Amino acid sequence: MVTVNQQRVPRKRTYLMCAPEHFAVEYAINPWMDLTVGVDVALAVDQWDRLRHTLVDLGHDVHVLTPQAGLPDMVFAANGAFVVDGTVYGAQFKHEQRAAEAAAHREFYQKHGWHFIAPSETNEGEGDFAYLPEAHGGLILAGHGFRTELPAHAEAQEALGRPVVSLRLVDPRFYHLDVALASIDDGNVAYFPGAFSAASQRVLAQLFPDAVLADDEDALAFGLNLVSDGANVVLNSDATRLAGKLKAAGYTPVPVDLAELKKGGGSVKCCIAELRP
């Protein structure tokens, strides 16, 4: 059972985001992208900026990556790399439409002096990797099934020196790990069991017996595509029941509206990469 009314302590985080100045739905590479639905770029920028200000107001540092024309999904900055203890494991996108984003992220990290390791395997950064520094001595959870390839999990383990637990995603609506599971503090997660294979569900239940479980309604509202500092949980405003579960577990839900960016198949976490020095 989840511990109720436990005191939650926030930890200052450093994030990387990229404004949706060129955001559009010009192709369909996930079930959420509909080429017949228009995008209001000005509204997308406004919603994104509110998210950025929310993080800053919570006391976190936010770096901003320069958006590039012709890369409409750069707003989903979580996909560009995965950072643990000052080491950056770079991304290698599955779809050619996003491939050039990897170089933009690599340039940022190298310019700012991070130790960057170029990948040989297909992986989509923090979209399919989550790090929990206080879970079982420091654990990486890694998704596969739709985007990131299984060999990338072994490559990440060698690059980052942390054990990697592979989790198989089985529902194409949850094509990345970060739309099905999120770290809510340094040692615990929230997730939607139905996004995972039966075996992966058993693994998660064993590793995280106190996890917050989302239902399908909140999962489909991108509620799990959230960012938490260990106390404050920034999540999609449509995920009301999940917000209630998090509050009951002692967290403070901070709802934000990212309806325009959802048209591209992402929400809060997709827009935010965590930089872990």
Side-chain angles (χ1 to χ4, degrees):
M1 294 291 292
V2 174
T3 302
V4 179
N5 295 326
Q6 179 176 338
Q7 182 66 36
R8 305 293 178 182
V9 179
R11 177 169 61 80
K12 183 175 181 178
R13 311 293 177 113
T14 301
Y15 297 123
L16 178 66
M17 299 179 66
C18 182
E21 294 177 10
H22 306 291
F23 179 59
V25 179
E26 299 175 346
Y27 45 78
I29 58 174
N30 68 59
W32 303 96
M33 303 177 86
D34 185 346
L35 296 175
T36 68
V37 176
V39 168
D40 184 334
V41 176
L43 179 57
V45 171
D46 182 63
Q47 291 177 347
W48 175 90
D49 203 42
R50 291 180 192 178
L51 172 61
R52 181 178 65 85
H53 279 293
T54 297
L55 298 173
V56 172
D57 290 346
L58 288 171
H60 306 301
D61 292 331
V62 178
H63 297 272
V64 178
L65 189 66
T66 302
Q68 297 183 14
L71 296 176
D73 280 342
M74 268 191 78
V75 63
F76 301 127
N79 303 146
F82 179 52
V83 186
V84 174
D85 294 337
T87 297
V88 183
Y89 175 52
Q92 182 171 293
F93 288 86
K94 178 176 180 177
H95 296 288
E96 62 179 356
Q97 293 95 331
R98 299 195 66 185
E101 294 178 38
H105 283 265
R106 178 173 185 165
E107 181 180 354
F108 170 86
Y109 288 110
Q110 291 180 330
K111 179 180 178 180
H112 289 84
W114 293 80
H115 177 217
F116 187 92
I117 296 178
S120 298
E121 305 292 344
T122 297
N123 82 90
E124 300 201 346
E126 223 169 35
D128 272 323
F129 291 105
Y131 181 54
L132 292 104
E134 294 182 6
H136 308 280
L139 192 66
I140 294 171
L141 303 179
H144 69 101
F146 298 103
R147 297 291 185 85
T148 295
E149 300 289 343
L150 191 57
H153 296 185
E155 187 173 65
Q157 181 168 278
E158 288 300 309
L160 301 170
R162 292 287 182 272
V164 175
V165 174
S166 296
L167 302 168
R168 186 162 71 90
L169 298 163
V170 295
D171 186 330
R173 297 172 299 179
F174 305 102
Y175 59 95
H176 273 152
L177 182 70
D178 71 0
V179 292
L181 176 148
S183 62
I184 49 176
D185 57 43
D186 286 343
N188 200 13
V189 299
Y191 68 96
F192 171 53
F196 298 93
S197 69
S200 293
Q201 290 181 42
R202 291 194 295 271
V203 169
L204 285 167
Q206 179 177 331
L207 291 174
F208 303 102
D210 296 326
V212 173
L213 301 183
D215 61 26
D216 55 352
E217 181 177 320
D218 280 334
L220 292 170
F222 280 72
L224 289 163
N225 196 240
L226 60 81
V227 166
S228 174
D229 61 14
N232 305 292
V233 182
V234 183
L235 78 165
N236 195 293
S237 56
D238 291 333
T240 54
R241 287 196 291 195
L242 179 58
K245 290 181 179 180
L246 290 165
K247 186 174 182 178
Y251 300 90
T252 301
V254 183
V256 295
D257 179 9
L258 288 180
E260 205 63 21
L261 291 172
K262 186 180 176 181
K263 295 175 180 178
S267 188
V268 175
K269 176 56 190 169
C270 286
C271 294
I272 302 167
E274 184 171 349
L275 310 183
R276 304 175 184 88

